[in-house]
Amino acid sequence: MLQADFIVAGATLVDGTGGPARQGDLAVHDGRIAAVGEFARPAGVPVIDASGLALAPGFIDSHTHDDGYLLAHPDMLPKVSQGITTVVTGNCGISLAPLDGTAIPQPLDLLGPAELFRFSTFRAWMDALRATPAAVNVAPLVGHTTLRVAVMDDTSRAADADERAAMRALLQEALDAGAFGVSTGTFYPPASAAPTDEIIEVCAPLRGRPGVYATHLRDEADHIVAAMEEALLIGRELDCRVVFSHHKLAGERNHGRSRETLDLINRAAATQAVCLDCHPYPATSTMLRLDRARLASRTMITWSKGYPEATGRDFSEVMAELSLDDEAAIARLAPAGAIYFLMDPADVGRIFSHPLTMVGSDGLPFDPHPHPRQWGTFTNVLRAMVREQRLLTLETAIHKMTGLAADQYGIAERGLLREGYHADLVLFDPATVTDVATFSAPIQASQGIQAVWVNGRQVWDGERTSAERQGQVLTPGTALARSK
Ligand SMILES: [Zn+2]
């Protein structure tokens, strides 16, 4: 006799495999999917009528900076309201742990206030998350920039042998604690001073175990191909999957070159494990930098310590107000963050359509005027790319958000509607689901996500979060396919 806590009935089941949707029911018992498809409904079990709605595995946000936000705002409203049930943290070289300090340099400050950096080991941060769980699951990466800041007294140079050994030991501890891999952000100082061989030596503990190498490339503009070749070399040396983070071509003169970079990814995928993540917006966001501002057709300020009045405004307007050129204005605003309009929508669509592309929001959760991707990435895809542009089928989009990401990261027993899997679920109306966050008003919950469950407990009802904090700190699945 089927045991069930509740049944979602009459839904369009979009199961995360990419295969065709079908009508059916789904039963949940004790945090797991107890049955899916057609089965006899046991008497007395609550039934949620889902006719006209789609039921999918909970979305996996493949690329986040939520490390500290999970502790500070455990209801994870920006994420659960768009259907996300698992976040991959520690991207772009910056993880909250292992680092216990007060002087937090850029770009680590993108993760939130300095008082969050209080974990001298990776396990200590994971234990804190287990002691006060968030509403979503966490699949954490360790940031190479964090390791550098934790170990080196001068990060403006390559690490010496002792420093590399110390970083390697911290990484070993993190992987033993259950990290899903390493990320680098050599685009940014202070990691840009790290040569390729430093990364390979520090990341040596990745060899022979499940784990990814996720990289914010050294260059996403004119020299992107060389930067991708470096990442692929590191992946081969470490025998691990390469994740090209927020893959993009920055600057007008590079528009259209996604044909070239995706071709490189296709050729690499024939011999080594690779994948990529991306969000659907033609603008990116990070700290305020001269090179980025000069590549962008428009720059918006997301926060500024030096000139807080600039928040939410166009950089060109702020420069005029201050009567400063771009370089001087950046010095005046610093430290600061910005949104840069520098991608070609055709590149974004082409990259998004690639079969190895997952969905990653890359949002900066503590920004006072954030990029709308923090609140709207997944629902923007469902509205714009699936419903309006018909760039992707619903099944393909959901696969990218769920099964594909679980597979690439080695997240076990999640990402599919399958009997025995954890009951991370999202129920939504495919005809109306939409992002609401915009560049001018970015802090707004999505509409049309009607219910979200994490480990069988409801965390979102379409209007508000619940008090459930069932999110687990995940550890890598043993069945991670290490080949392509
Ligand atoms: Zn990044």
Side-chain angles (χ1 to χ4, degrees):
M1 181 67 183
L2 176 68
Q3 283 195 300
D5 303 328
F6 65 92
I7 290 169
V8 183
T12 300
L13 303 172
V14 187
D15 68 6
T17 62
R22 61 200 163 107
Q23 294 300 118
D25 298 350
L26 184 141
V28 171
H29 179 61
D30 209 13
R32 301 262 183 173
I33 297 171
V36 58
E38 282 180 34
F39 52 87
R41 294 180 199 164
V45 174
V47 173
I48 297 160
D49 177 13
S51 45
L53 303 176
L55 182 67
F59 302 155
I60 297 172
D61 191 344
S62 302
H63 186 113
T64 83
H65 298 291
D66 291 334
D67 310 40
Y69 198 77
L70 288 157
L71 290 169
H73 299 273
D75 72 347
M76 295 299 285
L77 172 62
K79 298 303 172 81
V80 297
S81 56
Q82 53 178 313
I84 294 164
T85 58
T86 296
V87 295
V88 178
T89 59
N91 280 281
C92 300
I94 53 174
S95 55
L96 195 68
L99 184 60
D100 186 1
T102 46
I104 302 302
Q106 286 202 308
L108 281 168
D109 60 351
L110 297 176
L111 293 179
E115 57 266 26
L116 286 169
F117 292 83
R118 57 174 195 269
F119 305 103
S120 56
T121 65
F122 207 73
R123 191 183 294 275
W125 170 69
M126 294 171 86
D127 285 347
L129 268 177
R130 289 189 176 107
T132 55
V136 300
N137 307 304
V138 186
L141 305 176
V142 190
H144 162 251
T145 302
T146 301
L147 300 178
R148 291 192 118 230
V149 171
V151 161
M152 299 174 69
D153 49 13
D154 172 11
T155 51
S156 68
R157 53 170 174 77
D160 66 25
D162 288 347
E163 291 162 338
R164 292 178 190 201
M167 284 191 262
R168 202 157 51 233
L170 285 174
L171 176 58
Q172 184 71 54
E173 185 275 335
L175 292 173
D176 289 346
F180 278 72
V182 188
S183 76
T184 56
T186 44
F187 168 74
Y188 301 98
S192 52
T196 310
D197 64 301
E198 174 188 314
I199 297 167
I200 293 169
E201 283 183 37
V202 169
C203 296
L206 271 177
R207 271 193 209 105
R209 61 191 301 162
V212 304
Y213 169 64
T215 175
H216 180 153
L217 294 168
R218 221 178 264 284
D219 191 298
E220 296 179 316
D222 303 358
H223 307 292
I224 188 168
V225 169
M228 291 174 71
E229 296 281 13
E230 180 194 30
L232 291 167
L233 170 69
I234 292 167
R236 288 193 300 275
E237 290 290 322
L238 298 170
D239 186 28
C240 68
R241 183 181 308 280
V242 176
V243 183
F244 291 104
S245 296
H246 45 60
H247 190 55
K248 70 171 80 67
L249 282 303
E252 207 177 324
R253 62 181 176 267
N254 294 302
H255 287 179
R257 290 185 66 201
S258 59
R259 288 186 192 87
E260 184 186 347
T261 59
L262 293 176
D263 189 51
L264 174 58
I265 288 172
N266 286 338
R267 278 182 282 122
T271 58
Q272 70 183 101
V274 293
C275 62
L276 54 161
D277 66 69
C278 152
H279 66 59
Y281 304 90
T284 186
S285 180
T286 186
M287 54 198 261
L288 180 60
R289 286 171 56 126
L290 188 60
D291 59 342
R292 276 283 195 242
R294 284 183 177 172
L295 274 175
S297 58
R298 180 184 165 205
T299 299
M300 271 179 83
I301 305 302
T302 55
W303 59 277
S304 166
K305 287 238 168 85
Y307 190 63
E309 300 91 320
T311 302
R313 295 166 61 197
D314 267 37
F315 183 48
S316 57
E317 184 192 317
V318 176
M319 277 164 50
E321 180 173 294
L322 296 171
S323 303
L324 295 172
D325 67 8
D326 53 3
E327 207 168 349
I330 284 174
R332 176 71 206 283
L333 267 61
I339 293 168
Y340 307 93
F341 291 81
L342 44 65
M343 290 113 92
D344 174 8
D347 280 323
V348 175
R350 197 177 292 119
I351 290 166
F352 223 93
S353 304
H354 192 278
L356 291 172
T357 301
M358 310 174 289
V359 184
S361 70
D362 195 18
L364 299 170
F366 287 96
D367 279 9
H369 189 98
H371 188 302
R373 63 194 183 182
Q374 175 68 9
W375 289 76
T377 289
F378 286 70
T379 42
N380 180 293
V381 172
L382 294 173
R383 171 184 62 81
M385 289 187 161
V386 175
R387 198 166 63 232
E388 293 175 359
Q389 300 162 22
R390 299 184 182 276
L391 184 72
L392 306 168
T393 64
L394 180 62
E395 289 91 337
T396 301
I398 296 297
H399 174 59
K400 289 173 173 295
M401 297 172 177
T402 60
L404 179 67
D407 202 35
Q408 302 293 335
Y409 276 105
I411 297 170
E413 300 181 329
R414 297 181 195 271
L416 299 178
L417 298 183
R418 184 167 286 177
E419 194 181 315
Y421 273 39
H422 298 278
D424 294 344
L425 304 166
V426 53
L427 186 66
F428 63 98
D429 184 346
T432 61
V433 66
T434 186
D435 54 324
V436 181
T438 61
F439 285 98
S440 53
I443 300 182
Q444 300 201 69
S446 299
Q447 290 174 0
I449 300 288
Q450 306 222 336
V452 178
W453 293 266
V454 174
N455 296 308
R457 308 303 285 263
Q458 189 168 356
V459 298
W460 174 253
D461 68 0
E463 304 259 315
R464 56 189 63 80
T465 56
S466 75
E468 294 285 356
R469 302 283 182 268
Q470 297 293 326
Q472 295 177 4
V473 181
L474 307 179
T475 52
T478 47
L480 176 62
R482 298 188 58 78
S483 68
K484 68 179 177 108

